[in-house]
């Protein structure tokens, strides 16, 4: 028995090594040999997935230290069940995106950027692997920076377009605020603990205030409202497989940081409340902003804000439960949040790839120019619809399982009658509200983009995407169905992750009737299918004729008379006008023979335009003012030096230690 | 054998009894107005007729135009199977957290119905779908607050136990809140007028303008099952079902459902449909009623 452990370690380690080598090889092959790149990347992610799966099914955590020094620190890698969860998600989305991109961003269509896109794709995946495995602050930061930069190059692949350049710059700037905060966080941590090595240090209560630094740093990456300012434009302007990666995985690495260090470090007593409040805010306002969008990818991007909110509700209540000692509902909420990480990666990846197919086929992201795509793109329509059902958290798919677990956690918090109830009641009500708003939003998207009549010539001439673009979507859709009908399959992995997060929550029994839920979800799927089949047969039996849509007696309907995305969401955007601040332009028809009339409504990036940009302008003004200090007169510089030395002397003499 | 029998009996309750409710409502409205009105069994005749009729499909509609009503019907049926019929009979399926599943199955039905409405590309149906999903936002908030009230009262997250015991002081608030949710979720006056023929002013009826034949029958039958589901929920959440004997509970449930149905008819007879601008206001009131019920229950249970 005793010699089993080392053997197992070697296995996981070998898989990680194979994954890293294949991805590195992929970088070399990216420019010239597309097929070799694809094969190497797929092998790499398969090996990575196998390594993650080994840890998640209970082969134990993998840890590896080497005498080799990188950046002055010895190499220390660790793959435990929390990082394995995120690694598994990374590998799935990276594989799906790689296959998709081989047909979506080809050398023929993008001769300048396709090779670079493949290379940066692998760099991104590798740097995220480094972030997930690093058990040392320096290496974590190195990986983090590489991850940030490679994502920038992927976002700006199509950099001839000024919108793309602007989105990329915003992303880079905001991400570096996050990097700066994280650098401060890790540096302060290293100063206070005396080592850059990372690991559980819950007993060091004096580290708790560092939590706030980390919350903002990782929160920016995760796209928490109101730190999401970089997210909508970056997701909308990146190539679609990159959007899927950003939304499905990159945001989750922010979540990973939060989960990781909320588990390893002591947290201030009010931390859980703050995280849960941020979660609720992100969920409700994310979906409200999504409803106001007319650009399909920007809309999906705002839904990422919403779903990260749901994840944070789970994490926040998990933290509150840890602080107050309620393992029963705390586990449920945290498991719900962690499962939502996977689920959101799967269905949001699917939806972004679907949106990419639409963009590929029609050349526009503007929903008011689309419509009636189902006839030309039946596969994309069906798969997008499946993703929509999943993201609305409807049974029988995976989104419902995680939202249900979070709801159970919230109900448990209410029933525990502790002080957490004052947060749990509003959270439960607002989570229900969020679900209903998401449903409204996706009925709007599906209805306007895929159903009805085409609103433009390009939409009428759309074509279905090829097999290489459909297969990854099929795979992701399969994942959504599998987790939906058999949630018990992912239970052991989640249970281990939660056990790693909080040692005391390891061995408790299955807290929720997941078996029953799986059976019921399967039942819904089977019965729904059977009823649909029976009704279909009945319609065939009684006969079916086609006729134009009932037009209320008005005989000349045009496609432009269909309900638009803006009018569909009109009532809700009016409710949320206090924060959405929609811009309305209206030119009424006037006079006896009105010549022209127009009406459009647009929801701006309110937080960016009304909060961040004024703040940035203020900082710039301050910088301009400070520039007066530098004028080239040597005498004045000598005075500065003198004042500086005097201040230092005062500090040293007054006996304040740094 | 008993299990099979009781399952069949339950299915019969939900499938066969449901179309009676709209008939009763219409009869009440007719009585109040001094008319004879259509027979109580009118919906059964309508369903039988629609089931045999030919289907007219819009040239724009995809096969999901037929699949949508089927999925909506199955989802409502699934939701009804989670609702207990009195403490003795219980629900077909009962587990911790089934209350959330019930709410989300109703949401799935909403998704399928509105999807089918968007199929036709008609501005009327788009308008109806938009209103349906928008008002449901507030109705959903009210529902979850009501379910939290029941959970607090009973300390349980399963419908079978949540609906069983006697209620606390919050019963009146809860009844008012849930009854309002019943009216909006089933598209009754003052939110929607099922009898109107002006497309612009309707919600549910305008969504199904283009449906015909068997799919339309599925939609009508599903709507009546949903009405019955809400009537059963309202009755059980305000009456102390747990204190009655087996037979008594069944009779009380039947009478309760009848009272709720007649109540809907009376409301429709004496109220006009609200202007659309005022609908969210009334809905917010129902959310507040449920939240106050929750607070009262919280105080009572402490």
């Amino acid at each position: 028995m005793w010699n089993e452990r080392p053997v197992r370690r070697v296995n996981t380690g070998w898989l990680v090594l194979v994954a890293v080598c294949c991805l590195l090889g992929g970088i070399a092959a990216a420019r010239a040999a597309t097929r070799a790149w694809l094969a190497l990347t797929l092998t790499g992610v398969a090996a990575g997935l196998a390594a993650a799966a080994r840890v998640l099914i209970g082969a134990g955590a993998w840890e590896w230290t080497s005498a080799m020094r990188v950046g002055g620190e010895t190499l220390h890698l660790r793959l435990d069940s929390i990082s394995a969860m995120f690694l598994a998600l990374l590998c799935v989305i990276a594989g799906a995106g790689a296959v998709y991109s081989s047909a979506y961003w080809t050398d023929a269509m993008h001769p300048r950027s396709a090779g670079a896109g493949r290379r940066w794709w692998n760099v991104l995946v590798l740097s995220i692997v480094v972030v997930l495995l690093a058990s040392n602050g320096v290496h974590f930061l190195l990986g983090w920076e590489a991850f940030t930069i490679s994502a920038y190059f992927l976002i700006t692949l199509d950099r001839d377009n000024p919108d793309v350049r602007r989105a990329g710059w915003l992303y880079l700037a905001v991400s570096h605020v996050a990097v700066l905060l994280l650098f401060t966080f890790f540096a302060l941590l290293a100063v206070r603990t005396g080592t850059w090595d990372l690991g559980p240090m819950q007993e060091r209560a004096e580290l708790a205030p560092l939590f706030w630094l980390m919350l903002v740093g990782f929160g920016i990456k995760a796209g928490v409202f109101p730190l999401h300012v970089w997210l909508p434009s970056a997701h909308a302007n990146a190539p679609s497989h990159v959007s899927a990666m950003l939304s499905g995985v990159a945001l989750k690495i922010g979540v990973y940081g939060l989960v990781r260090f909320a588990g390893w470090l002591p947290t201030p007593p009010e931390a859980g409340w703050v995280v849960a409040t941020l979660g609720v805010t992100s969920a409700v306002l994310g979906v409200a902003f999504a409803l106001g969008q007319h650009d399909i990818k920007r809309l999906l991007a705002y839904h990422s804000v919403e779903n990260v909110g749901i994840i944070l509700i789970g994490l926040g209540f998990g933290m509150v439960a840890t602080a107050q000692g309620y393992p029963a509902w705390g586990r449920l909420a945290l498991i719900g949040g962690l499962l939502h990480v996977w689920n959101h990666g799967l269905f949001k990846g699917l939806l972004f790839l679907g949106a990419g197919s639409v963009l590929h086929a029609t050349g526009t992201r503007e929903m008011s120019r689309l419509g009636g795509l189902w006839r030309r793109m039946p596969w994309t329509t069906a798969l997008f619809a499946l993703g929509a059902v999943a993201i609305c958290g409807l049974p029988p798919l995976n989104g419902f399982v995680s939202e249900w677990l979070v709801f159970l956690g919230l109900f448990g918090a209410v029933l525990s009658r502790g002080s957490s109830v004052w947060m749990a009641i509003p959270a439960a009500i607002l989570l229900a509200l969020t679900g209903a708003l998401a449903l409204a939003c996706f009925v709007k998207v599906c209805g306007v983009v895929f159903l009805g009549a085409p609103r433009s010539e390009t939409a009428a001439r759309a074509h279905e995407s090829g097999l290489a673009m459909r297969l990854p979507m099929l795979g992701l859709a399969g994942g959504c169905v599998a987790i939906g009908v058999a949630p018990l399959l992912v239970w052991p992995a989640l249970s281990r992750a939660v056990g790693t997060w909080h040692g005391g929550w390891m061995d408790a029994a299955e807290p929720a009737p997941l078996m029953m839920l799986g059976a019921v979800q399967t039942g819904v799927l089977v019965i729904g299918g059977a009823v649909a089949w029976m009704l279909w047969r009945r319609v065939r039996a009684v006969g079916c004729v086609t006729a134009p849509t009932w037009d209320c007696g008005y005989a000349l309907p045009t496609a432009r008379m269909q309900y638009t995305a803006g009018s569909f969401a009109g009532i809700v955007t009016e409710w949320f006008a206090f924060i959405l601040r929609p811009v309305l332009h209206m030119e009424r028809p006037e006079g006896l023979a009105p010549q022209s009339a127009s009406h459009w409504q647009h929801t701006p990036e309110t937080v960016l335009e009304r909060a961040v940009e004024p703040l940035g302008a203020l900082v710039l003004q301050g910088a301009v003012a400070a520039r007066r200090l530098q004028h080239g007169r040597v005498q004045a510089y000598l005075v500065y030096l003198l004042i500086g030395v005097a201040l230092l002397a005062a500090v040293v003499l007054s006996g304040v230690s740094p | 054998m008993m299990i099979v029998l009781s399952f069949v009996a339950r299915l019969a309750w939900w499938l066969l009894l449901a179309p009676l409710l709209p008939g009763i409502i219409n009869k009440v409205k007719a009585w109040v107005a001094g008319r004879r009105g259509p027979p109580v069994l009118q919906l059964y005749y309508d369903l039988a007729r629609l089931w045999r009729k030919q289907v007219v499909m819009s040239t724009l509609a995809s096969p999901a135009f037929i699949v949508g009503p089927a999925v909506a019907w199955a989802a409502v049926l699934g939701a009804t199977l989670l609702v207990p019929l009195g403490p003795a009979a219980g629900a077909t399926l009962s587990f911790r957290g089934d209350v959330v599943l019930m709410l989300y199955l109703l949401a799935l039905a909403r998704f399928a119905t509105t999807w089918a409405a968007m199929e036709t590309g008609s501005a009327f149906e788009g308008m109806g779908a938009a209103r349906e999903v928008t008002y449901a936002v507030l109705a959903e908030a009210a529902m979850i607050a009501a379910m939290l009230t029941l959970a607090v009262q009973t300390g349980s997250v399963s419908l079978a136990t949540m609906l069983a015991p006697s209620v606390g002081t919050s019963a009146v608030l809860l009844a008012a809140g849930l009854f309002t949710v019943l009216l909006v979720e089933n598209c009754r006056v003052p939110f929607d007028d099922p009898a109107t023929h002006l497309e612009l002013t309707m919600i549910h009826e305008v969504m199904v303008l283009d449906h015909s034949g068997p799919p339309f029958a599925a939609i009508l039958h599903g709507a009546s099952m949903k009405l019955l589901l809400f009537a059963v929920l309202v009755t059980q959440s305000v009456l102390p079902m747990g204190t009655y004997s087996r037979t008594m509970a069944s009779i009380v449930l039947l009478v309760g459902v009848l009272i709720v149905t007649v109540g809907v008819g009376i409301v429709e007879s004496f109220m006009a449909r609200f202007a659309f601008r005022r609908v969210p206001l009334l809905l917010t009131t129902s959310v507040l009623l449920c939240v106050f019920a929750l607070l009262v229950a919280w105080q009572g249970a402490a």
Side-chain angles (χ1 to χ4, degrees):
Chain A
M1 283 301 281
W2 61 271
N3 64 353
E4 262 181 36
R5 264 181 88 82
V7 172
R8 270 188 272 168
R9 278 182 186 176
V10 167
N11 275 345
T12 310
W14 278 117
L15 285 170
V16 172
L17 186 68
V18 169
V20 170
C21 290
C22 286
L23 288 168
L24 281 173
I27 294 177
R31 179 72 69 180
T34 315
R35 278 168 187 277
W37 166 79
L38 190 60
L40 280 168
T41 309
L42 286 182
T43 321
V45 296
L49 191 63
R54 278 185 57 81
V55 174
L56 286 175
I57 59 171
W62 172 74
E63 212 162 344
W64 183 74
T65 44
S66 146
M68 194 168 70
R69 283 175 169 267
V70 178
E73 292 289 316
T74 52
L75 214 53
H76 182 186
L77 302 181
R78 181 201 320 244
L79 183 67
D80 63 9
S81 42
I82 293 181
S83 35
M85 270 198 76
F86 290 84
L87 181 63
L89 178 64
L90 167 72
C91 292
V92 169
I93 305 290
V99 176
Y100 189 84
S101 74
S102 68
Y104 178 74
W105 207 263
T106 56
D107 287 299
M109 283 185 288
H110 304 272
R112 192 184 52 76
S113 60
R118 290 191 289 269
R119 193 178 55 225
W120 286 114
W121 183 265
N122 281 32
V123 175
L124 178 74
V125 175
L126 266 176
S127 48
I128 295 181
V129 168
V130 171
V131 169
L132 291 175
L133 293 183
S135 205
N136 183 297
V138 174
H139 302 147
F140 190 99
L141 282 172
L142 284 174
W144 189 270
E145 184 63 18
F147 156 44
T148 303
I149 306 254
S150 50
Y152 166 75
F153 284 113
L154 282 171
I155 291 170
T156 55
L157 274 185
D158 186 20
R159 70 179 77 98
D160 297 336
N161 182 342
D163 281 345
V164 172
R165 286 200 301 271
R166 208 171 306 127
W169 192 86
L170 181 65
Y171 162 78
L172 199 64
V174 177
S175 294
H176 276 88
V177 175
V179 169
L180 217 60
L181 287 165
L182 291 181
F183 192 83
T184 322
F185 166 69
F186 281 108
L188 286 176
L189 195 65
V191 167
R192 297 200 182 171
T193 57
T195 166
W196 285 92
D197 228 28
L198 300 172
M201 35 192 131
Q202 280 211 295
E203 64 291 347
R204 307 278 301 264
E206 79 278 9
L207 297 176
L210 293 182
F211 174 81
W212 303 116
L213 267 179
M214 160 201 113
L215 178 64
V216 180
F218 287 125
I220 290 176
K221 197 54 147 188
V224 175
F225 198 94
L227 308 174
H228 68 284
V229 288
W230 64 272
L231 191 151
S233 57
H235 283 62
N237 287 301
S240 296
H241 61 291
V242 177
S243 312
M245 187 66 158
L246 283 179
S247 178
V249 182
L251 303 183
K252 306 302 156 32
I253 301 307
V255 173
Y256 166 74
L258 281 175
V259 172
R260 173 97 284 170
F261 292 101
W264 272 351
L265 299 184
T267 49
E270 60 278 13
W273 303 96
V274 174
V275 172
T277 313
L278 281 176
V280 173
T281 318
S282 303
V284 176
L285 294 183
V287 72
F289 269 96
L291 268 159
Q293 305 303 318
H294 305 304
D295 171 337
I296 182 171
K297 284 178 71 182
R298 201 173 273 269
L299 179 145
L300 291 177
Y302 271 113
H303 272 286
S304 304
V305 177
E306 175 220 336
N307 281 285
V308 165
I310 295 174
I311 294 168
L312 289 194
I313 293 176
L315 174 64
F317 275 89
M319 289 166 69
V320 170
T322 320
Q324 301 189 346
Y326 290 107
W329 57 261
R331 286 177 81 219
L332 281 172
L334 185 64
I335 288 174
L338 285 179
L339 181 57
H340 208 69
V341 168
W342 269 0
N343 288 346
H344 180 244
L346 290 173
F347 53 63
K348 189 50 77 61
L350 171 61
L351 289 169
F352 264 121
L353 297 187
S357 296
V358 170
L359 182 59
H360 193 254
T362 63
T364 179
R365 307 194 303 252
E366 197 61 38
M367 286 193 278
S368 57
R369 292 171 52 76
L370 298 169
L373 292 182
W374 72 267
R375 208 179 289 276
R376 296 300 202 95
M377 310 178 73
W379 281 95
T380 310
T381 305
L383 290 167
F384 196 93
L386 191 134
V389 172
I391 197 174
C392 295
L394 297 176
L397 297 179
N398 59 348
F400 178 68
V401 179
S402 44
E403 283 197 26
W404 180 74
L405 285 167
V406 174
F407 263 119
L408 276 188
L410 294 177
F411 270 81
V414 173
L415 295 184
S416 71
R417 309 193 69 86
S419 60
S420 50
V421 73
W422 300 114
M423 186 70 220
I425 289 177
I429 293 177
L430 290 174
L431 188 57
L433 197 92
T434 308
L437 284 171
L439 191 148
C441 196
F442 274 93
V443 171
K444 165 185 122 169
V445 178
C446 297
V448 172
V449 174
F450 294 105
L451 306 179
R455 288 180 178 77
S456 69
E457 202 44 38
T458 47
R461 283 198 314 262
H463 57 89
E464 181 60 283
S465 40
L467 196 63
M469 283 162 75
R470 292 206 302 263
L471 266 184
M473 288 161 69
L474 269 173
L476 294 175
C480 290
V481 175
I483 296 184
V485 297
L488 211 54
L489 286 182
V490 293
W491 167 252
L494 293 167
S495 169
R496 278 195 192 87
V498 169
T500 312
W501 192 77
H502 185 290
W505 293 358
M506 178 74 92
D507 292 320
E510 177 197 327
L514 277 174
M515 177 84 135
M516 188 69 172
L517 185 72
V520 172
Q521 299 247 69
T522 317
V524 170
L525 197 66
V526 171
I527 294 173
V531 171
W533 183 71
M534 275 158 56
L535 196 62
W536 186 256
R537 294 222 356 180
R538 183 68 204 169
V539 170
R540 294 282 296 275
V542 295
C544 178
V545 293
T546 54
T549 300
W550 162 240
D551 46 16
C552 199
Y554 181 66
L556 198 75
T558 74
R560 291 195 57 198
M561 285 175 63
Q562 294 174 96
Y563 225 48
T564 60
S567 34
F568 195 92
I571 311 175
V572 179
T573 41
E574 213 170 280
W575 290 351
F576 285 94
F578 70 96
I579 182 122
L580 297 185
R581 310 264 169 185
V583 183
L584 186 68
H585 165 90
M586 185 141 51
E587 189 190 339
R588 292 180 183 281
E590 274 169 18
L592 285 176
Q595 291 299 312
S596 70
S598 68
H599 173 107
W600 56 260
Q601 193 175 12
H602 165 69
T603 303
E605 297 294 320
T606 309
V607 179
L608 182 66
E609 289 172 15
R610 303 236 173 184
V612 177
E613 282 179 358
L615 199 71
L618 211 65
V619 171
L620 276 183
Q621 275 176 15
V624 169
R627 225 167 71 184
R628 295 206 194 114
L629 291 173
Q630 189 177 4
H631 37 58
R633 283 196 293 275
V634 178
Q635 297 92 324
Y637 290 175
L638 285 175
V639 175
Y640 297 163
L641 270 177
L642 214 62
I643 293 173
V645 170
L647 278 178
L648 277 176
V651 166
V652 171
L653 291 178
S654 66
V656 181
S657 64
Chain B
M1 196 58 206
M2 273 310 287
I3 297 171
V4 176
L5 268 182
S6 88
F7 181 67
V8 170
R10 254 187 272 267
L11 267 185
W13 163 280
W14 290 111
L15 293 178
L16 299 182
L17 195 63
L20 196 60
L21 266 58
I24 296 176
I25 293 176
N26 283 336
K27 207 67 183 170
V28 170
K29 283 165 75 176
W31 277 335
V32 174
R35 293 182 282 119
R36 285 249 311 283
V40 177
L41 299 182
Q42 184 62 46
L43 186 54
Y44 295 91
Y45 306 143
D46 287 350
L47 290 175
R49 199 186 67 234
L50 283 170
W51 191 249
R52 292 191 306 267
K53 281 195 101 164
Q54 197 190 29
V55 177
V56 183
M57 237 171 107
S58 163
T59 42
L60 297 175
S62 80
F65 190 64
I66 311 261
V67 174
V71 170
W73 184 85
V76 173
L77 182 68
T80 61
L81 293 181
L82 298 170
V83 177
L85 296 170
T92 312
L93 277 172
S94 177
F95 56 95
R96 199 149 71 91
D98 56 1
V99 51
V100 181
L101 180 64
M102 181 195 75
L103 293 181
Y104 274 72
L105 277 172
L106 292 177
L108 176 65
R110 190 162 71 234
F111 186 90
T113 320
T114 44
W115 172 290
M118 296 298 284
E119 286 275 354
T120 56
S122 153
F124 295 122
E125 274 144 276
M127 199 180 293
R131 287 170 181 166
E132 167 95 355
V133 293
T134 308
Y135 296 151
V137 170
L138 290 172
E140 192 101 331
M143 271 308 272
I144 200 88
M147 294 303 126
L148 276 169
T149 311
L150 294 174
V152 166
Q153 273 171 3
T154 59
S156 157
V157 199
S158 172
L159 278 170
T161 34
M162 276 164 73
L163 294 171
S166 66
V167 280
T169 38
S170 60
V172 180
L173 287 168
L174 194 62
L178 273 178
F179 188 70
T180 321
V181 175
L182 177 146
L183 294 179
V184 66
E185 280 282 318
N186 294 286
C187 301
R188 314 297 312 191
V189 175
F191 298 99
D192 187 9
D193 191 349
T196 181
H197 289 286
L198 191 59
E199 292 91 335
L200 283 172
T201 58
M202 299 185 289
I203 303 174
H204 187 260
E205 296 299 311
V206 75
M207 279 201 298
V208 300
L209 264 182
D210 269 273
H211 282 285
S212 54
F216 190 45
I219 289 173
L220 288 182
H221 188 260
S224 68
M225 276 203 297
K226 193 170 161 190
L227 181 61
L228 179 59
L229 183 150
F230 272 90
V232 168
L233 263 186
V234 173
T235 309
Q236 296 199 67
S237 52
V238 296
L239 287 180
M241 297 302 286
T243 55
Y244 305 130
S245 70
R246 209 185 167 94
T247 4
M248 188 64 186
S250 309
I251 296 169
V252 165
L253 189 62
L254 262 177
V255 174
V257 168
L258 190 68
I259 291 174
V260 172
T261 318
V262 171
V264 174
I266 290 175
V267 166
E268 293 205 357
S269 305
F270 289 100
M271 277 184 93
R273 197 180 53 72
F274 271 14
F276 274 116
R277 296 224 155 248
R278 286 178 61 200
V279 165
L281 213 64
L282 184 60
L283 270 173
T284 316
T285 316
S286 82
V287 177
L288 288 179
L289 282 171
C290 291
V291 171
F292 282 138
L294 176 55
L295 295 179
V296 171
W298 180 263
Q299 281 301 317

